[in-house]
Amino acid sequence: MQAEEDTLENEEYEAELEIKNAEGLHMRPAMQFVDIANRFDSEINVSNGETNVDGKSIMNISMLAATCGTKLRIKAKGPDARQAIDALRELVEEKHFDEPTPKK
Amino acid sequence: MEIKKGIAVSPGISIARSLIIDSEDYRIPRRQIKPSQRMIEIQRARNAFKDAIGELTRFESATDKPEGGKIKDIFAVHLRFLHDRSLRKKITDMIHSDLVTAEYAVSTVLREIASHFTKVKDAYISERAADIYDIERRLLTQLLGRKRENVEHLKNEVVIVARELSPTRTAGFDRKFVKGIASDAGGRTSHAAIVARSLGIPAVVALEDLTECTSVGDLVIVDGNRAIVIVNPDEQTIRQYEEYSKEFTELEHRLDAIRQKPAVTRDGVEITLLGNIEFPNEAEVVLEKGGAGIGLYRTEFLYLNTQTEPTEQDHYEAYAETVRVFADKPVVIRTLDLGADKYTQRKRFAPEPNPFLGLRSIRFCLQNLMLFKRQLRAILRVSVLGDVKIMFPLITNRHELMQAKMILHDVMEDLDEESIPYNRDMQVGIMVETPSAALTAHSLARDVDFFSIGTNDLTQYTLAVDRGNELVSMLYSTVDPAVLRLIRTVIQDAHKAQIDLSVCGEMASEPEYIMLLMGMGVRTISITSPMIPEIKQIIRSVTMEYCNNVARKVLGMDSERQISAYLRDAARKILPEAF
């Protein structure tokens, strides 16, 4: 029992998500991102290849200045890591923050 | 003694003690603290966050109207920042390790973040810096509280020294005590400069580092005629300036003497001189200076002063105050021209990459019908109090004009149903301020009672120059042959259609240009009120024949430089004191 809980605590998932909305990760999308990240107990880290920041901080997320087409590597660690990654993937790649994607 | 050269934006001379204010930009001295004070400063920072959150939450819940959505979003983002643990930790860590005050830590950390954003190439992202400055300001207000200088309740005459002044801040100045304005930033056409001119307060801007070489209480001379500011002048300079000041006042008095005289040329052609106003309290200045009505009543001020959306009654009261002052004299109310200014862009979520070509002015109103109709109702309701006319800005095609008129009609029907009185025959006009409107003036003229040429926007759109951008502002000239050609077309089309025509841009307030406009056929002009006496004096000293000659010559010239030089020369002959 004890052992299983330990593995749960240490569950780690990661995914690469691409910013698809035309205007990039500006203020409102950054807000949506941290709002979702903060719903989970897991630690969430976001990296753009250069910097690695706390996914629950709007300051850090918005400072990534991720424009359309940027790929972010998201790592979640904790009891609900998988759900956190799924929820963030849905926001970024499927709903693209309820914003329009660039015109082809 | 220190002499600084800037840009003169409002004429006159003032000598008074300085009052340094920083509306946009508190100057936070780096104040070292002792290790034992760490916890006190950290607690002050925490309290500032807590109080700022409280204040924002109240604003957020007060913004409950549908069109407040974007503003609400902004409050929500700011709240996320204030709750951000990483941000708070960064600030408290700095207090702890660098031994500085809470103000200093807040300001330094947030400015670092803001400068990070300004460096990003993407326009949407770099505009975020404005949000960060806003958060910084909010926290500093909490920390500094009452330590801020209070400009609203002055008891002594002062010269206001600031880094940058917002138009609303400037409009709040008490003319009795604020004798001069000097700022580090700004330009001739910045909004604060226009407000200073209309209030008749001498002002010099673009002084770069004036705030750094002035201390509160220093004696400061603002020379709005020569574009100079002198800090701590010596005895001799003070005496010299007292002399200048006397001469200038005498000139003003001489001009005031012609206040009640008509604006008629020597050969008997009458010109109607109206005033441009922005705030209701300027209406009386127009009368004082001898204006025959209001040719342009800007209504944006209602939106710049408050956190909440103005109600129909707010609109009504502001307009009624002005219309009552003018009784039977005309008052032209321009519908909202919001959009491309800093104010609305800051409130917007994703700032437009090209706001002057974006959703501004009448376009903004046609997409925000509730807001537009609220203003139209108020204008219609005041139309029974005097000679009120309505004017739509930035019309670019016939379709927009028809749409705006149709909405006006809808509002009239609503008022009919509610049996609220209004003037059914209220005149409807448009600003002609885009090349497309000028080029189709013959067709637009069929559906309006008057045109008013807005030379500022017309020039900027015709020459493709942002006059606020110092790198290209030298290309901006209202007497460029291209602009003059458009203006001539509009005047001719208005005459053919037999509708009224006026010019309300800054061009009409420039002594050099007035003869040209008259010679081109303009008989009504609307200008900033302090300029009324001077322009009237020019009108009274010329003949229409001479003006016609000036226009004929100018319209035959093909270079802006040649035109400017010629006009300056012609005006200098008429009113040597002003040049």
Side-chain angles (χ1 to χ4, degrees), chain B residues 201-266:
Chain B
I201 302 174
V204 179
V205 302
L207 291 150
E208 287 171 0
D209 59 347
L210 179 72
T211 48
E212 269 146 54
C213 25
T214 318
S215 307
V216 178
D218 281 351
L219 192 65
V220 173
I221 294 175
V222 175
D223 181 348
N225 301 337
R226 295 170 191 78
I228 286 171
V229 169
I230 305 171
V231 183
N232 292 322
D234 56 28
E235 279 298 316
Q236 196 194 339
T237 314
I238 296 176
R239 270 199 304 280
Q240 184 191 1
Y241 264 91
E242 282 167 350
E243 194 56 36
Y244 282 160
S245 172
K246 218 173 87 200
E247 281 168 23
F248 186 75
T249 321
E250 277 165 12
L251 171 66
E252 291 270 279
H253 283 166
R254 264 212 311 288
L255 290 173
D256 277 353
I258 67 163
R259 199 177 63 195
Q260 298 309 337
K261 295 184 182 157
V264 178
T265 61
R266 275 164 46 209

Side-chain angles (χ1 to χ4, degrees), chain A residues 22-31 34-35 38 54 56-67, chain B residues 73 76-77 80-82 84-87 90 109 112-113 116-117 120 122 124-125 128-129 131-132 349-350:
Chain A
E23 291 170 6
L25 201 51
H26 63 88
M27 283 298 180
R28 203 178 46 85
M31 171 169 87
V34 298
D35 280 356
N38 275 302
D54 176 6
K56 295 185 179 184
S57 156
I58 189 165
M59 169 184 77
N60 285 327
I61 290 298
S62 60
M63 282 174 81
L64 287 176
T67 48
Chain B
D73 270 354
V77 165
R80 298 304 188 284
F81 268 91
L82 292 170
D84 191 321
R85 265 180 299 182
S86 302
L87 171 64
K90 225 172 154 161
V109 168
E112 258 172 41
I113 300 174
H116 174 89
F117 285 135
V120 176
D122 187 284
Y124 287 110
I125 290 169
R128 277 181 202 161
D131 283 290
I132 305 297
F349 235 90

